[in-house]
Amino acid sequence: MDIGAGHVTAGVVSAGGKILFSQSMETQDPERPGSLIGRLEELIRSQLLRAHEQKLELAGIGIGSPGIVNSALGIVVAAGNLPELFGAHLGERFAQAFALPVLVENDVNALALGEMLFGVAKGQKNFIVFALGTDLGGGVVLDGKLIPGANFIAAEFGHLTLDLHGKKCVCGGVGCAREWVSGAGLAERARELLPEESQAIALAGTRSQVSAAEVFQAAEQGDRPAAELVEEFGRRFGALVSNVMKVLDPEVVVLGGEVCRTEPQVMNLVARWTRHYYFPIPKLPEFRLSQFSKGSAILGPAAAFLVKHRRRK
Ligand SMILES: [Zn+2]
């Protein structure tokens, strides 16, 4: 099951990474406020029933959640825009409800494992994942193992400091990368900085409606202020990737998330600026675009479960 800010998807995945079936629901139900965890349970139950009807044998349940996740205990410690999940013992609750082993993992860490088992990082032992959506998340796999960190807050690339005297961030830090390198950050800068005649504002209707999509679209159409914002975004993103590469020396850099999915040109832009800031070695790590779609996001949590399960054996 993949829990997103907008949608939750649950389904059954084969050990080889094939999605047999799945079902989605909106994360928030205005008619049933405060019911998220109960509705997650209902969604899982419906998929288990379907699996039972088809006589499928299930190994367990993998769950990807936004925010800080203690994957050892199956607890969502904090989840930005889903306060209902704060402190939720999802692992224990669903293990009891369904009598199956449950693994809960941060969604981008799960994505990294999904890429390793079923995606563009298949067969790679050292790679990093940047998930660019509303926010910027990250995942690190070294020597074939996910690195969650001592407090499960490793690879928070969106909160690396890019401006020593920048704005205060929601995380408590200052001048965090997400201010430039995230869908929400780019949109906010655009609403603040674009001149009235910018094509992005015309595309969005009003200034307050401008999102990252209109900024990219206007830039493609030759709107100079929008193109400058996109270039600055790419430059900062490249510097960030270069910094992370200097620490971890990966073989592959995977770019995923909603913004990379809808704006695949981001990859060349970021690769160009990464080269600018990185060591002048002849062979840079390979940049690869994640091929996961919105519908295949459950492959991440499924892979996270499989990786843990295989290790235990
Ligand atoms: Zn921050």
Side-chain angles (χ1 to χ4, degrees):
M1 176 163 72
D2 177 69
I3 306 171
H7 289 89
V8 180
T9 304
V12 171
V13 177
S14 76
K18 188 163 177 268
I19 298 173
L20 303 178
F21 50 82
S22 68
Q23 193 182 332
S24 293
M25 67 173 188
E26 293 198 359
T27 307
Q28 306 293 353
D29 181 349
E31 283 171 19
R32 296 168 66 191
S35 66
L36 177 59
I37 295 175
R39 290 191 301 117
L40 295 177
E41 192 170 318
E42 286 166 22
L43 186 62
I44 295 174
R45 192 179 303 280
S46 72
Q47 300 306 293
L48 293 181
L49 277 175
R50 203 165 156 192
H52 186 68
E53 280 164 17
Q54 298 187 17
K55 300 192 166 50
L56 298 171
E57 199 185 319
L58 296 180
I61 302 169
I63 299 174
S65 165
I68 301 167
V69 177
N70 181 329
S71 53
L73 298 177
I75 300 171
V76 180
V77 180
N81 21 20
L82 298 174
E84 271 185 71
L85 294 182
F86 275 45
H89 291 235
L90 295 185
E92 198 182 298
R93 172 166 177 156
F94 295 147
Q96 271 175 14
F98 302 117
L100 281 170
V102 177
L103 175 81
V104 190
E105 182 56 90
N106 164 272
D107 52 359
V108 186
N109 283 346
L111 169 70
L113 294 172
E115 296 293 357
M116 183 172 81
L117 289 198
F118 310 128
V120 294
K122 207 169 175 175
Q124 299 296 326
K125 284 195 169 314
N126 299 287
F127 64 95
I128 48 182
V129 175
F130 290 82
L132 184 72
T134 306
D135 265 298
L136 176 67
V140 172
V141 171
L142 289 182
D143 203 17
K145 291 192 186 77
L146 180 79
I147 308 295
N151 299 291
F152 305 96
I153 48 175
E156 287 293 342
F157 300 148
H159 297 286
L160 297 192
T161 306
L162 280 191
D163 181 354
L164 299 185
H165 309 286
K167 286 184 191 163
K168 187 104 179 144
C169 175
V170 284
C171 76
V174 167
C176 287
R178 73 178 295 282
E179 198 184 312
W180 294 268
V181 190
S182 72
L186 180 61
E188 198 175 312
R189 284 176 60 74
R191 292 194 289 261
E192 217 175 282
L193 300 171
L194 284 178
E196 207 48 50
E197 66 275 13
S198 168
Q199 182 68 13
I201 295 175
L203 286 166
T206 62
R207 176 178 293 273
S208 61
Q209 297 284 314
V210 173
S211 73
E214 284 87 34
V215 182
F216 281 110
Q217 199 185 335
E220 292 269 292
Q221 292 171 2
D223 182 78
R224 223 177 121 187
E228 279 168 9
L229 280 179
V230 168
E231 194 64 15
E232 179 69 9
F233 152 88
R235 183 175 192 132
R236 301 252 177 184
F237 199 170
L240 189 71
V241 172
S242 162
N243 280 344
V244 175
M245 275 168 39
K246 284 171 184 166
V247 178
L248 300 172
D249 187 19
E251 295 154 309
V252 167
V253 175
V254 178
L255 299 183
E258 183 66 21
V259 174
C260 291
R261 190 153 53 230
T262 51
E263 313 291 342
Q265 73 276 19
V266 161
M267 192 170 81
N268 287 337
L269 176 68
V270 176
R272 173 159 61 83
W273 281 112
T274 302
R275 206 166 290 126
H276 179 81
Y277 288 106
Y278 195 58
F279 302 127
I281 58 172
K283 195 171 171 286
L284 271 193
E286 209 180 310
F287 281 69
R288 295 182 187 169
L289 261 188
S290 169
Q291 299 300 311
F292 289 170
S293 66
K294 221 173 205 165
S296 56
I298 55 171
L299 289 176
F305 178 87
L306 286 171
V307 166
K308 188 176 177 189
H309 197 66
R310 280 177 194 166
R311 279 223 183 96
R312 272 194 176 162
K313 273 185 187 166

